[in-house]
Amino acid sequence: MNVLDVMAQLEALGTQQTKKTFIRHGAPGPLFGVKIGDLKKHLVKEVKKINNLL
């Protein structure tokens, strides 16, 4: 998994509604609008697996 893979997954997981909410709450752009639960479910676990292999 490289940076391009991670960015593609983030873009796929993001929603317009979540992006609007984050911006309304002061998050600076650009952003994809990925919910924290989706991050944990899909990416954090995968990145931890990779780090454990190193």
Side-chain angles (χ1 to χ4, degrees):
M1 179 175 270
N2 60 24
V3 173
L4 295 176
D5 295 335
V6 171
M7 296 304 284
Q9 276 192 316
L10 287 173
E11 189 172 6
L13 292 171
T15 63
Q16 212 45 30
Q17 183 61 40
T18 305
K19 183 177 179 178
K20 287 178 185 178
T21 301
F22 287 166
I23 291 171
R24 187 173 60 243
H25 287 276
L31 51 98
F32 291 118
V34 181
K35 295 178 184 176
I36 301 302
D38 290 341
L39 278 176
K40 289 182 180 180
K41 191 184 311 179
H42 296 283
L43 289 176
V44 173
K45 290 180 183 179
E46 185 68 30
V47 171
K48 282 185 181 181
K49 287 179 193 175
I50 293 170
N51 283 338
N52 288 335
L53 295 175
L54 300 175

